[in-house]
Amino acid sequence: MKVAVITFPGSNCDYDLFKAAQQVGGDAKFIWHRERGLNNYDAVLLPGGFSYGDYLRAGAIARMSPIMEDVIAFAKTGRPVLGICNGFQILCESGLLPGALMHNTSLKFESKDVMLRVDRTDTMFTKDYKTGQVLRIPIAHGEGNYGADDETLEALEDQGRVVFRYVDRDGELSDEANPNGSLNNIAGITNETGNVLGMMPHPERAMEKLLGSTDGLALFTSMAGSLQPS
Amino acid sequence: MNPYRIEVRVKPRPGLLDPQGKAIHHSLNSLGWEGVNDVSVGKAIYIDIDADSADNALATVEVMCRKLLANPVTEDFEVSVIDEMERTSS
C-alpha cells in the first residue's frame, strides 16, 4: 500500500499519520502541498494541524493548494482519502465532503479522550471494527462542531454515511458525550461513494498501548486490508 | 481601468452558533451594560481592485466570496464599494 501523507504549512499530525501508515505495512511518503501527482499512490491521508494558521476559516486556504486538485481527482478514482481533524476541515472546504465544521459550542479548544461508536463497518476504513463497537480516541480541536443544512443532514443519515458518533461509555448518544455540539453527535462521515472519510477524532494517536489506546489501529488495518488484491 | 476599494462583510448565518458573539455578549453584560439583546461577530475584508466600473468590481468580488471568502454553509456576505480611489495616471 503506497500512502501519500499531504503536508501543508501548519500541519502537525503528519508524522503521526506517517507512522500509523507504516505500522500497518504501508509505504508512506510525505507530499508537500505544492507538489503534484498522486497517481502512483493507493491511499491519500490529510493530517491534522493548523494549516495556514486557520486563517480565514480552518482549511479554507489549504484547499486552494496545488495538490488539492490532485486529491480531488484521486478521490474520483474511488481510492481511499482520509482526512483527520484539520484534514476533515479541508475535505469539507474542498467540497469532497458536505457541511462545515464550526466553533465548538463549549467555546473552548477540546483536548481529551472521547468515546466513539462505529455505526458503519461496511466501509474500507472500518471493516475491521464491529458494528456498534465503542472506541476511545483522542480529540484536539476548537472547530469540530459539524453542521449542515437539513437536506444534507437527511441525505447523510438516509444513506448511512455517518460512520462515527460521539457516545457515552455504553454507546448511547447524549449531549454530555458530544464534545463540540455536532449535529446528531456526528464525528465522522463519508462521501456518497464511501471512499472519502473525514473525522475530527485522531485514530493515529490511538495506535500504541503505551499511549493509552490502540482503538485507532483497526481503521488503518481496514484501509490496508481493503487495498489488498483479493 | 479604475481602482476600487471593496468592503466584504462576512457574517455568521442567523441561527448558527456564534461563540465569539456569545463571549462578547457575556462580557458586556458583566461590565454592566443592560439591554444588550444580541452580539454577533463577523469579519470585514478590504480588497483593492482595478475594474472598468464599480459594478464590475463588485461582481468580481462576489465571485471571490463564493469561491473563497465566505463559506456558504455557515456564513452570509455583503459587498460594497467604500472608497473610489483616485485614478492613477498611466
Side-chain angles (χ1 to χ4, degrees):
Chain A
M1 173 175 70
K2 289 187 75 180
V3 181
V5 177
I6 313 293
T7 307
F8 301 93
S11 293
N12 65 11
C13 302
D14 40 346
Y15 278 82
D16 306 60
L17 262 185
F18 187 90
K19 180 91 193 327
Q22 283 188 330
Q23 208 173 322
V24 298
D27 171 16
K29 291 271 184 321
F30 289 116
I31 303 287
W32 182 235
H33 71 119
R34 301 187 71 85
E35 293 178 44
R36 298 299 299 261
L38 293 171
N39 268 336
N40 296 327
Y41 290 89
D42 302 307
V44 169
L45 311 181
L46 301 183
F50 300 88
S51 56
Y52 293 92
D54 280 350
Y55 289 168
L56 195 61
R57 296 178 306 276
I61 308 287
R63 71 111 164 165
M64 297 297 167
S65 294
I67 195 67
M68 283 310 295
E69 230 176 275
D70 295 336
V71 172
I72 290 166
F74 184 90
K76 289 201 173 116
T77 67
R79 284 172 283 180
V81 175
L82 168 64
I84 295 169
C85 198
N86 190 224
F88 185 13
Q89 294 163 338
I90 295 167
L91 289 174
C92 285
E93 283 285 344
S94 71
L96 282 173
L97 291 173
L101 294 145
M102 301 175 289
H103 280 283
N104 299 343
T105 45
S106 64
L107 312 181
K108 291 180 190 137
F109 187 93
E110 299 286 352
S111 179
K112 60 186 180 190
D113 283 358
V114 295
M115 309 308 281
L116 289 186
R117 192 179 69 202
V118 186
D119 277 10
R120 303 291 300 199
T121 51
D122 52 352
T123 78
M124 50 173 67
F125 306 97
T126 53
K127 66 187 190 65
D128 291 349
Y129 290 112
K130 293 187 188 71
T131 306
Q133 192 176 341
V134 176
L135 318 175
R136 173 188 284 274
I137 305 269
I139 56 164
H141 59 250
E143 282 133 326
N145 174 2
Y146 183 78
D149 58 42
D150 294 345
E151 201 181 321
T152 305
L153 188 66
E154 210 182 304
L156 284 174
E157 294 289 2
D158 288 353
Q159 296 162 12
R161 287 160 53 191
V162 180
V163 176
F164 298 111
R165 291 184 211 266
Y166 302 108
V167 291
D168 62 21
R169 282 163 194 283
D170 302 319
E172 300 296 328
L173 301 177
S174 71
D175 288 344
E176 293 70 43
N178 187 342
N180 49 34
S182 289
L183 286 172
N184 297 8
N185 286 42
I186 289 173
I189 57 168
T190 65
N191 64 342
E192 272 181 65
T193 43
N195 66 308
V196 177
L197 171 69
M199 62 191 297
M200 289 312 295
H202 287 278
E204 82 283 15
R205 296 188 191 176
M207 301 288 286
E208 304 273 358
K209 205 167 183 194
L210 186 66
L211 300 177
S213 169
T214 53
D215 289 352
L217 184 60
L219 190 146
F220 294 94
T221 58
S222 296
M223 202 165 65
S226 56
L227 288 166
Q228 300 295 334
S230 49
Chain B
M1 301 288 264
N2 295 315
Y4 295 93
R5 171 160 288 182
I6 308 297
E7 183 183 71
V8 179
R9 289 178 304 285
V10 181
K11 306 185 290 187
R13 296 191 71 169
L16 285 181
L17 177 84
D18 171 12
Q20 286 189 81
K22 207 166 157 185
I24 293 168
H25 193 176
H26 286 158
S27 295
L28 290 174
N29 286 151
S30 62
L31 282 169
W33 270 287
E34 305 283 337
V36 179
N37 297 320
D38 190 35
V39 179
S40 69
V41 178
K43 55 194 150 200
I45 301 166
Y46 297 93
I47 297 184
D48 292 343
I49 184 173
D50 289 333
D52 50 19
S53 70
D55 282 350
N56 283 346
L58 286 172
T60 305
V61 172
E62 278 183 23
V63 175
M64 294 175 186
C65 287
R66 284 191 205 97
K67 205 166 161 63
L68 175 67
L69 304 178
N71 182 332
V73 181
T74 56
E75 296 169 324
D76 289 328
F77 64 86
E78 289 166 5
V79 295
S80 54
V81 180
I82 58 162
D83 178 26
E84 230 170 283
M85 287 178 291
E86 277 184 27
R87 194 181 182 134
T88 50
S89 53
S90 53

